[in-house]
Amino acid sequence: MSVLGAQAAVWPTGDDYAARARQQRLAAIAAAVAIGVACAVVLLATDEKTLLLAALGSALAGLVILMRPVIGVYILFAGAVLFEQAGITGLSPITEQVHFFKGLDTFTAVPLHASPADLLLVLSAVSLVAAHLTGRVALRMGVFGWAVAGYGAAFIVGIAIGIARGAGWSADAAVTELRSPLQMCVMYFLAASLIRERKQLAVLLWMFALLVGVKALQGILNYQASLDLSYALEAVTGHEDVVFFDLAIVLSLVMLALGVRTRFAYTLLALQPLILGAEILTQRRVGFAALGTALLVLAVLFIVGNPRRGLLLAAVGSLAIGAYVMVFWEQEDGPLAQPIRTLRAALDPTSVSARDLSSDNWRLIENRNIKFTIDAFPLTGVGVGGRYIQHEQPPSMTYVFEYWRYITHNALLWLWLKAGPLGGFALWFLVARVLLVGSAMYVRIRDGRQRVLTVLPVALMTIQVAFSSVDMGLTHARPMIVLGTVLGASAFLFARTVPAEPLGAARVSPV
């Protein structure tokens, strides 16, 4: 054998490095799954004897995340999709019993109100900073960075306003209000700095699709269990699950319309019966309203991107919706009649059920109280941790949120209420930035698979805004963690440094 031949036999080739990199990625994913399972087992246990196991598990998780900070992003993202933040009235699924979003002091003897999700987020942020200081990772703002930073800064200003006003200020309420917005901001910068490959984005997409399928199946099983109860349940899934259901439905329709034929597309399409079934059975009107809003935005994108195909798809969709309305308009009961409740309530409020009418009336009174408070403090608002003025007494409810005088159902007005016009501007600047950048990239890019990725943040932001108009969407940890991750993970696709290679190449396409 020649010297060159001997060297070729000893030195690793490019294929060897690629194989080693694949093995490292698989090992990292396996470690993330193992840690997630271990943490779930620990969090399910409430016996004080498990504290040692919890400490060992936490130490292992901390070590792995310090070595691979992106694993913290994966676990937080998966936990936000899978685990409930609040209980489902009348049901007790296993995902609710996992204390991922509950303070340690509520299920252990540790006197710390921070949740495992909070601690994991802090650990991931520390790991990112450590990786940056050692030169392994560069901190990146991303295309949405300044908008996200401005959104977070609005809450800091709101805290200062609340403390300065003093009257009715609550530190506990302020912490509750701050937690989810700051989680979104931190998750954005984590994902923007750590998700730098399309294969990493593919991991998030596959996790999302499979876990949403799990939640949909759980919702259907919850509905079957509810049939044995002597009373009707308001919902069979968590309130925020409809955000994830809607996004999965939209992504499936986008890939179908754009002709994307990949394993991910087929998998998500195969899960649609479960997801649509859970969406219908959970009876959340806001879910259908948010889905309809997202479909309207997509119709505009399709028409601008390809007028002929867009108009054809819009016509087909309009005919399908029209046929559904004609068939089910008079039907009052049954799962298939649930989507029509949203449209009927908008066109004829007197036609809704007594339960829906009571819920709507409560929100209308709350909106009037918000308006009265904003008129009283037009420039500053009441501050984060400050109560709004109860000018009009709302009707009594069977369940009242502890901080209902601080956190409002209409989250779009809530930030204006907390930080004045500055807070409102910060929110809508972030929304506009995501919609404009995502839409512009959708029009510029011609590859179908890459277009799906540009639609992802646009669709999620649209759904989140529609959901937050009638529910506390900006203070729910689950959708805010997912939103921050999606915005940060997709930021590198919108950067000017995107390679000039075909963006839809099969070897790098996440979808």
Side-chain angles (χ1 to χ4, degrees):
M1 180 183 294
S2 65
V3 176
L4 292 178
Q7 289 178 344
V10 174
W11 292 103
T13 65
D15 292 339
D16 294 330
Y17 284 119
R20 189 176 302 171
R22 284 194 296 269
Q23 292 174 355
Q24 290 175 349
R25 282 193 294 270
L26 291 175
I29 294 173
V33 173
I35 291 173
V37 172
C39 290
V41 173
V42 172
L43 294 174
L44 277 169
T46 57
D47 189 346
E48 300 300 333
K49 296 180 181 180
T50 64
L51 286 180
L52 178 59
L53 177 60
L56 293 175
S58 300
L60 175 61
L63 179 61
V64 174
I65 292 173
L66 282 172
M67 296 173 59
R68 295 273 297 180
V70 72
I71 293 179
V73 175
Y74 293 153
I75 297 176
L76 282 163
F77 181 80
V81 177
L82 186 60
F83 300 131
E84 275 78 23
Q85 181 178 355
I88 304 174
T89 304
L91 297 171
S92 184
I94 190 172
T95 51
E96 179 191 330
Q97 300 171 34
V98 176
H99 312 295
F100 193 68
F101 294 104
K102 297 179 182 178
L104 294 179
D105 56 353
T106 63
F107 64 96
T108 70
V110 178
L112 185 63
H113 191 58
S115 68
D118 297 329
L119 298 178
L120 184 58
L121 189 68
V122 172
L123 175 62
S124 300
V126 171
S127 302
L128 173 61
V129 173
H132 172 68
L133 294 177
T134 57
R136 293 186 292 131
V137 175
L139 298 180
R140 296 177 176 89
M141 289 292 290
V143 70
F144 306 125
W146 289 112
V148 172
Y151 180 77
F155 287 90
I156 305 303
V157 173
I159 279 285
I161 293 171
I163 295 175
R165 288 193 64 248
W169 188 77
S170 168
D172 290 339
V175 171
T176 302
E177 291 183 279
L178 276 176
R179 177 176 280 117
S180 295
L182 293 185
Q183 286 173 335
M184 190 277 287
C185 295
V186 174
M187 285 302 300
Y188 170 81
F189 290 107
L190 283 172
S193 299
L194 297 171
I195 305 296
R196 304 306 301 170
E197 299 177 5
R198 293 184 178 91
K199 291 181 179 180
Q200 293 174 319
L201 182 56
V203 171
L204 292 175
L205 288 172
W206 276 101
M207 288 171 57
F208 175 78
L210 297 177
L211 292 177
V212 169
V214 170
K215 297 301 291 182
L217 177 60
Q218 184 186 55
I220 294 173
L221 295 177
N222 287 345
Y223 176 78
Q224 292 179 338
S226 71
L227 298 178
D228 297 330
L229 300 177
S230 59
Y231 54 90
L233 298 181
E234 294 186 357
V236 294
T237 66
H239 284 194
E240 317 88 29
D241 282 321
V242 294
V243 173
F244 310 138
F245 294 160
D246 286 349
L247 183 59
I249 294 169
V250 167
L251 286 181
S252 182
L253 290 175
V254 169
M255 288 188 289
L256 194 62
L258 296 179
V260 176
R261 303 291 183 264
T262 61
R263 285 182 297 175
F264 178 79
Y266 289 131
T267 301
L268 192 57
L269 187 62
L271 292 172
Q272 289 308 301
L274 289 177
I275 297 171
L276 288 168
E279 174 94 339
I280 292 172
L281 293 176
T282 198
Q283 304 184 44
R284 293 282 294 161
R285 287 182 296 162
V286 65
F288 301 113
L291 178 60
T293 305
L295 293 178
L296 287 176
V297 172
L298 288 179
V300 174
L301 284 181
F302 287 157
I303 292 173
V304 174
N306 189 326
R308 179 178 296 181
R309 174 182 289 186
L311 290 173
L312 177 61
L313 292 173
V316 172
S318 299
L319 289 175
I321 294 174
Y324 167 78
V325 170
M326 291 178 62
V327 172
F328 290 98
W329 181 261
E330 298 296 334
Q331 188 170 338
E332 297 291 339
D333 301 316
L336 292 179
Q338 295 303 325
I340 206 66
R341 292 170 55 206
T342 303
L343 182 60
R344 188 187 295 119
L347 299 177
D348 183 13
T350 61
S351 65
V352 301
S353 65
R355 167 181 166 270
D356 291 340
L357 189 61
S358 175
S359 178
D360 293 344
N361 186 40
W362 209 99
R363 284 168 167 78
L364 290 174
I365 294 175
E366 183 183 58
N367 287 341
R368 289 196 289 269
N369 285 330
I370 294 173
K371 182 181 183 303
F372 184 87
T373 306
I374 290 176
D375 290 341
F377 304 96
L379 298 179
T380 63
V382 296
V384 174
R387 294 183 299 178
Y388 67 78
I389 301 173
Q390 188 173 304
H391 178 67
E392 185 176 349
Q393 179 69 33
S396 60
M397 299 288 286
T398 55
Y399 168 76
V400 177
F401 178 51
E402 180 181 0
Y403 298 110
W404 67 274
R405 287 284 302 278
Y406 301 87
I407 302 174
T408 63
H409 287 86
N410 191 330
L412 304 183
L413 293 179
W414 168 70
L415 192 49
W416 188 298
L417 177 70
K418 294 299 172 176
L422 177 64
F425 175 80
L427 169 64
W428 288 108
F429 181 79
L430 173 61
V431 173
R433 179 68 174 163
V434 173
L435 297 184
L436 290 175
V437 172
S439 300
M441 291 298 294
Y442 176 87
V443 173
R444 286 174 50 193
I445 294 173
R446 295 301 177 186
D447 181 81
R449 282 171 289 189
Q450 190 65 18
R451 274 186 162 180
V452 174
L453 300 179
T454 63
V455 167
L456 181 63
V458 173
L460 180 56
M461 181 60 79
T462 302
I463 293 167
Q464 185 65 48
V465 168
F467 178 82
S468 300
S469 65
V470 294
D471 212 329
M472 296 175 285
L474 301 182
T475 51
H476 284 307
R478 297 177 64 201
M480 295 307 286
I481 288 175
V482 171
L483 178 62
T485 306
V486 168
L487 295 183
S490 59
F492 79 95
L493 294 172
F494 300 153
R496 295 180 179 179
T497 56
V498 172
E501 65 186 19
L503 295 176
R507 64 184 181 87
V508 295
S509 175
V511 297

